[in-house]
Amino acid sequence: MRAAGLVAIALAGLSAGACANYAQPTPPVAAAYANFLVGRLADLRQDHDAASEHYYEALQRAPADPGLIEGAIGSALAAGDVARARDVAEMAASRRVAAPHASMVRAVDALAAGRWRLAREQALHIRGGASADLIQRILLVWARAGEGRAQEGVAEIGDAADARPFTGLFAYQRAMAFDFAGRDAEALAAYQDAAQGGLWLPSGIERRADLLARTGAKDQALEVLGRADGREDNPLLSADAARLAADGTLRLPPLTPARGAAIGLYGVSAVLLQDSDPTDGLAALTLALMLDANLDGARISYAQAQVQLGHSAKAREALAHVSPQSPLYETARTMEAWVLLGEGREADAAAAAQANVDAGGGARAQRALADIERSIGRYADAEPIYTALIGEGSDDWRLYFARGAARERLRRWAEAEADLRRALEISPDQPEVLNYLGYSWVDRGEHLEEGLAMLQHAVEIRPQSGAIIDSLGWAYFKLGQYDEAISYLERAVELTPSDSIVNNHLGDAYWRAAKHVEARFQWQRAMSLGPDDADRPALEQKLANGLPALPASRSAHR
């Protein structure tokens, strides 16, 4: 859809090429098309900065092309470049070019400025696929609400309210529209529907709690804020609960059409990102932040999406805008430390995590510091932090698991085993713990049958985990069941082909099954994948001499 205008130019050129009088495209058209192609490729690769730049360059030569306008605005929004998106939207308006993304930008700006009629008129021009339809409905809800016609705004939701996964999203929109209009009973009923709609939306939850508190139901508001549906406590909701308990109010900024629409677009982004649509998901988050610059949950989600796309610098840029006064500041700084670690900047990551703790960070910040220290091999530094957190009364299985893993690396096996067992007592079906303890037993030659059963259970829970399937294959290897071992280890290599340890294990299994050529191939591959220094000498020995013969008393068929 974005390419419509320039594709027509390209097709015209191809048609001319079929005639005897073929003429070379004029330089402006050729340059525009070249930039379009590069922009389109960058768009497909989710490199939104480059896509925006090249679409914009092409627009300088073909400023009225609707496909280029759509591409330039969509990629600019995904890149978080609001100034560029607004610039192109104005270009479209001045040339009277109909472009859905341009209408989105103008509708959002009008809504933020309180120009309800203009917001509604622009929203009505939004056309396109599913994401455009969702955004249009939300903007129309709040344009109507701003005009004092909340019921008509709610009617704009239409049949989307009954279609999953949008049930919870639009239930929150309906609830907040009634809340804004002062129709408390209808708002509370809609908030109750939203809570059962399957969308975890902290910004919507705190609005529900705020209305409950304002209508005298403080205890119910505290219950809503404390109910995390099995999730770890949310920092935003925890801060709300602390304020409400202290002085009877959440002290939220007033609900406005701009804030209501921002929360709605935040919810849209969650649906789109879950549906593997990062471009539209990021664009929705940018639009949400244009409406409410203090919606830090959207900022954190934007950073997470950029990390998943491999754009760590963009993620850190977004996180830097989270204010120290925000309840999510500690979360942002913790995430920044993990982003630095993902970039391979281990010292910087540890320093950032330590600074977060030194600035008053609580249990989350302390656990993040311990996790990062453990991730970079500083087990002796990580272990006492876990011990302190456990000593403060936490019964979180993750702390016992992490401390057990650190203690195992410190060769304190008896303590590590006790921690891993305790983690399973607290949460018996955690595949990570089942894998770690089961693999450790098998690798040490202890509790082989029990370890095998644990690993089989872990694979049932996580059938697509290469690491866990590798552990099960290795258990069969240790038991001398080489055909079974090869079956699982080959699957593990398919799932994690760049893991040196998994390839090494498969090589060992091949050798014991008398497949020596295949074994050397896997060992050579393991060597090429950068094994740990501790594993390299053994790999070199195996490549030179193979595995030593099994003791005569051990049967390969037991």
Side-chain angles (χ1 to χ4, degrees):
M1 181 177 67
R2 291 179 181 175
L6 283 176
V7 167
I9 294 174
L11 291 175
L14 290 173
S15 297
C19 303
N21 296 323
Y22 171 72
Q24 190 75 11
T26 59
V29 171
Y33 188 56
N35 272 300
F36 159 73
L37 290 177
V38 176
R40 180 62 178 151
L41 179 60
D43 219 353
L44 292 171
R45 296 174 61 183
Q46 309 297 339
D47 186 351
H48 302 113
D49 283 303
S52 173
E53 192 62 36
H54 285 285
Y55 281 136
Y56 192 72
E57 284 294 320
L59 267 177
Q60 306 312 304
R61 297 172 173 84
D65 187 285
L68 285 177
I69 289 170
E70 281 293 277
I73 298 178
S75 54
L77 289 172
D81 190 344
V82 175
R84 170 67 56 79
R86 284 177 172 144
D87 182 20
V88 180
E90 286 305 311
M91 290 173 62
S94 66
R95 291 169 174 80
R96 300 183 183 278
V97 178
H101 277 99
S103 296
M104 283 181 201
V105 170
R106 292 197 293 272
V108 162
D109 281 340
L111 200 59
R115 302 174 67 185
W116 319 125
R117 179 179 175 181
L118 178 60
R120 174 169 50 82
E121 290 172 347
Q122 290 298 325
L124 289 170
H125 290 301
I126 298 173
R127 295 287 185 274
S131 63
D133 179 69
L134 291 172
I135 291 170
Q136 181 193 53
R137 291 177 194 244
I138 284 169
L139 295 177
L140 285 173
V141 167
W142 290 102
R144 298 283 192 189
E147 293 176 312
R149 297 187 288 175
Q151 187 65 53
E152 291 179 37
V154 168
E156 296 287 358
I157 295 171
D159 56 0
D162 301 321
R164 286 190 174 272
F166 312 125
T167 308
L169 168 66
F170 284 112
Y172 274 119
Q173 289 293 282
R174 188 171 69 251
M176 287 187 289
F178 286 140
D179 191 351
F180 171 73
R183 296 163 61 170
D184 295 348
E186 291 163 290
L188 288 171
Y191 277 128
Q192 179 63 36
D193 291 341
Q196 299 169 354
L199 177 66
W200 171 249
L201 191 61
S203 299
I205 292 169
E206 68 173 355
R207 287 292 169 185
R208 180 188 181 192
D210 181 61
L211 178 57
L212 286 166
R214 285 188 281 113
T215 54
K218 177 182 173 181
D219 290 344
Q220 192 176 349
L222 287 169
E223 181 186 352
V224 165
L225 292 170
R227 190 191 305 134
D229 298 332
R231 296 170 173 81
E232 184 180 5
D233 289 344
N234 180 277
L236 182 68
L237 302 184
S238 296
D240 288 334
R243 285 195 298 269
L244 181 58
D247 58 19
T249 177
L250 273 70
R251 298 201 300 273
L252 296 184
L255 182 58
T256 64
R259 289 195 177 98
I263 294 170
L265 293 175
Y266 179 22
V268 166
S269 75
V271 174
L272 295 175
L273 291 171
Q274 188 175 9
D275 200 35
S276 301
D277 185 357
T279 300
D280 288 333
L282 287 167
L285 287 168
T286 299
L287 291 168
L289 289 167
M290 289 168 65
L291 287 161
D292 184 0
N294 295 317
L295 189 60
D296 286 325
R299 210 176 296 281
I300 297 286
S301 293
Y302 183 92
Q304 288 173 329
Q306 292 289 9
V307 168
Q308 290 170 358
L309 292 174
H311 304 156
S312 58
K314 295 289 292 184
R316 287 189 287 105
E317 179 185 341
L319 293 169
H321 287 88
V322 178
S323 163
Q325 285 71 49
S326 171
L328 295 178
Y329 180 73
E330 182 181 313
T331 301
R333 300 286 71 79
T334 297
M335 186 175 174
E336 180 183 34
W338 282 109
V339 172
L340 289 167
L341 185 65
E343 293 176 345
R345 298 166 58 180
E346 294 182 351
D348 290 338
Q354 184 66 62
N356 198 13
V357 171
D358 294 343
R364 280 189 195 82
Q366 293 170 44
R367 195 175 85 193
L369 172 60
D371 288 343
I372 287 174
E373 296 283 21
R374 181 167 58 92
S375 295
I376 62 180
R378 298 179 184 173
Y379 307 111
D381 294 325
E383 192 272 346
I385 302 175
Y386 293 129
T387 298
L389 290 169
I390 291 171
E392 291 172 2
S394 175
D395 207 25
D396 189 331
W397 70 268
R398 286 166 294 194
L399 289 174
Y400 284 99
F401 171 50
R403 187 174 71 171
R407 285 175 166 177
E408 185 268 333
R409 291 307 182 100
L410 291 169
R411 301 183 186 280
R412 294 161 55 180
W413 173 242
E415 295 169 284
E417 185 179 34
D419 277 342
L420 295 170
R421 284 185 180 275
R422 177 59 185 151
L424 284 177
E425 287 175 8
I426 298 168
S427 189
D429 293 320
Q430 292 300 330
E432 295 89 349
V433 188
L434 291 166
N435 177 54
Y436 205 106
L437 182 55
Y439 180 86
S440 296
W441 277 342
V442 166
D443 203 44
R444 294 170 63 88
E446 303 170 358
H447 310 294
L448 290 179
E449 297 297 340
E450 188 178 355
L452 179 65
M454 277 188 177
L455 294 170
Q456 288 170 332
H457 186 38
V459 168
E460 289 173 1
I461 299 169
R462 290 273 176 83
Q464 297 302 313
S465 170
I468 295 177
I469 292 172
D470 168 68
S471 297
L472 180 56
W474 192 240
Y476 281 117
F477 177 85
K478 286 285 191 176
L479 290 167
Q481 299 178 29
Y482 301 124
D483 289 341
E484 286 287 338
I486 288 171
S487 174
Y488 283 104
L489 292 171
E490 285 179 340
R491 175 62 176 151
V493 167
E494 287 177 9
L495 291 167
T496 54
S498 59
D499 189 300
S500 177
I501 293 174
V502 176
N503 282 275
N504 189 4
H505 284 171
L506 179 57
D508 288 6
Y510 279 149
W511 186 271
R512 290 299 185 212
K515 298 181 178 181
H516 294 170
V517 173
E518 293 91 333
R520 291 185 189 281
F521 175 84
Q522 292 302 144
W523 289 332
Q524 187 62 56
R525 177 157 177 75
M527 183 67 77
S528 73
L529 292 171
D532 291 342
D533 291 340
D535 296 332
R536 187 176 295 275
L539 264 173
E540 291 172 345
Q541 179 68 23
K542 286 188 284 191
L543 280 168
N545 304 309
L547 289 176
L550 289 170
S553 60
R554 181 176 179 181
S555 169
H557 302 290
R558 65 177 180 172

